Amino acid sequence: MGTHPWQRWGWVMGGVWLVFLAFPIAGVVDSGESRPRVVAAVLLFVAFAVVYIRGFRAMAGAGSDADVVRSGVAHLAVLVLLCGAIHVLVGPASVGGGPYLVALAMFVLPMWAAVGVTAVVLLVTVWLTAVSSELADSWYLPGIVLLVAVVTAVVRTIERRSMLHDELAAELTVTAERDRVARDVHDVIGHTLTAMSLKADVAERLVATDPERARREIAEVGVLSRQALAEVRAAVGGIRSARLDDEIASAARVLVSAGIAADMPTDLTVVDPRHRVVLAWVLREAVTNVVRHSDATVCRVVLGPSSLTVEDDGRGPSGLREGNGLRGVRERVDAAGGVLRVLDASPGTRLVVTL
């Protein structure tokens, strides 16, 4: 998926604050130390800035959390050595590196270790400002260290949460796509295989008494199998869509093949075009369930502007267990902001969808 933008460019945010190294460098220049010491200290501050930036960039290139910590510890150790060398050369001006040690630690170390580094840097800063006459007016330095620690901790927490959110969002997207494919394939296969099974049974019964009609039924089984293959491919490719007029005609054929009288609507213009695809999917699964489970003799379908009712005179919903098909229908209806109800029609079952 590539490197997270924060990991790739986060060093820029860290590098912006290097402008404040100008203050300790100015203090070194005005310290009254010999020129060689001043030049050496300035060069060490430049090296400090380079190592600091390199530590952030190494964090982006690290392959794992362990690599980040290992690289971070190495860069922090070099920064501490540079601060020590600056202190030897020009004294307490080295305190200017403290906030940068805290900032880098917060991003490359575990939180407990970063807090430990912050505590040590804070204590050293307080001690230096207390014992050094040169820092007598720099009482604000411990506050800066503490402020940097708090701000970087908050940024780190937000960054980690953002990355976790992105990972979870990606997983949810994959899961939703899997559910969509499973639902579409189930709806396509369940309906079409039911129709093929019914037509094969009819052909078997008629092969001796009406060979011509048996041949037509077998030919329709072949058509249905090719249609099912095309629909499965479309479902996997994410382009499968149901047409209400096609589903009405298909439902009538399947019901008749199963020996169930079909009372189907003839005027589809009453249906709001926004709802036709969802209602078509619901009709397909509802009729499949009637054929499979109801033992009905009549099935009636009623359409409204934003509703669908499928009613049969079969065994009724008592003891009905919601399987994958009905669950898939409910998910489609919920996603469209609708309500699905399965009611006892006494006798029979009434399925009502309102969008």
Side-chain angles (χ1 to χ4, degrees):
M1 194 169 66
T3 306
H4 192 280
W6 174 258
Q7 290 182 318
R8 178 176 296 178
W9 301 108
W11 66 270
V12 175
M13 180 180 176
V16 166
W17 305 107
L18 286 174
V19 66
F20 292 105
L21 277 180
F23 294 101
I25 290 175
V28 168
V29 173
D30 296 335
S31 63
E33 297 288 344
S34 64
R35 182 175 295 276
R37 283 177 175 267
V38 170
V39 172
V42 171
L43 291 176
L44 287 174
F45 268 119
V46 173
F48 182 94
V50 171
V51 174
Y52 172 77
I53 290 296
R54 193 177 185 281
F56 272 98
R57 299 200 67 174
M59 176 181 66
S64 65
D65 289 343
D67 293 336
V68 170
V69 172
R70 195 159 37 246
S71 172
V73 169
H75 285 86
L76 284 170
V78 174
L79 292 178
V80 170
L81 290 174
L82 290 172
C83 284
I86 293 170
H87 188 79
V88 169
L89 287 173
V90 294
S94 60
V95 76
Y100 300 94
L101 292 174
V102 170
L104 184 60
M106 277 293 176
F107 285 104
V108 300
L109 298 182
M111 184 58 77
W112 64 267
V115 171
V117 170
T118 299
V120 171
V121 172
L122 188 59
L123 289 174
V124 171
T125 304
V126 171
W127 175 71
L128 287 176
T129 54
V131 302
S132 173
S133 59
E134 299 176 30
L135 299 177
D137 296 331
S138 302
W139 51 267
Y140 53 85
L141 289 177
I144 291 177
V145 171
L146 189 59
L147 180 61
V148 168
V150 172
V151 171
T152 51
V154 170
V155 172
R156 166 188 172 146
T157 301
I158 293 174
E159 174 234 338
R160 297 291 173 88
R161 295 289 183 181
S162 174
M163 294 174 65
L164 179 61
H165 174 272
D166 291 345
E167 292 173 2
L168 291 176
E171 291 179 8
L172 288 174
T173 299
V174 171
T175 301
E177 180 63 11
R178 287 173 177 168
D179 289 345
R180 182 198 66 78
V181 172
R183 186 170 59 243
D184 286 0
V185 170
H186 173 274
D187 291 350
V188 169
I189 293 297
H191 178 82
T192 307
L193 289 184
T194 298
M196 291 170 64
S197 175
L198 290 172
K199 289 186 174 297
D201 291 343
V202 170
E204 184 179 10
R205 291 196 302 268
L206 296 175
V207 68
T209 58
D210 192 348
E212 182 59 27
R213 184 180 171 189
R215 188 189 66 78
R216 290 198 302 271
E217 295 290 341
I218 292 173
E220 287 192 25
V221 170
V223 172
L224 285 172
S225 66
R226 289 189 291 274
Q227 176 185 334
L229 180 60
E231 289 180 332
V232 168
R233 287 172 175 168
V236 173
I239 59 174
R240 166 66 181 157
S241 181
R243 287 173 51 89
L244 186 57
D245 52 350
D246 291 342
E247 296 304 328
I248 289 288
S250 177
R253 290 195 299 269
V254 170
L255 289 169
V256 170
S257 295
I260 301 174
D263 183 358
M264 310 299 287
T266 56
D267 183 10
L268 306 186
T269 60
V270 299
V271 181
D272 189 325
R274 296 173 299 173
H275 302 321
R276 290 181 180 178
V277 172
V278 175
L279 294 183
W281 279 115
V282 174
L283 176 63
R284 168 180 281 237
E285 183 60 31
V287 169
T288 300
N289 285 339
V290 169
V291 171
R292 285 178 173 174
H293 308 300
S294 71
D295 290 332
T297 58
V298 177
C299 177
R300 180 169 178 260
V301 175
V302 179
L303 289 170
S306 57
S307 66
L308 167 70
T309 301
V310 179
E311 184 176 346
D312 65 69
D313 63 346
R315 64 179 62 178
S318 178
L320 176 67
R321 185 172 61 87
E322 185 171 299
N324 291 332
L326 191 56
R327 190 180 307 116
V329 170
R330 192 177 299 280
E331 288 173 358
R332 290 184 190 276
V333 173
D334 289 344
V339 177
L340 180 146
R341 292 174 294 162
V342 179
L343 308 172
D344 188 340
S346 298
T349 303
R350 180 184 298 117
L351 181 145
V352 181
V353 170
T354 305
L355 299 176

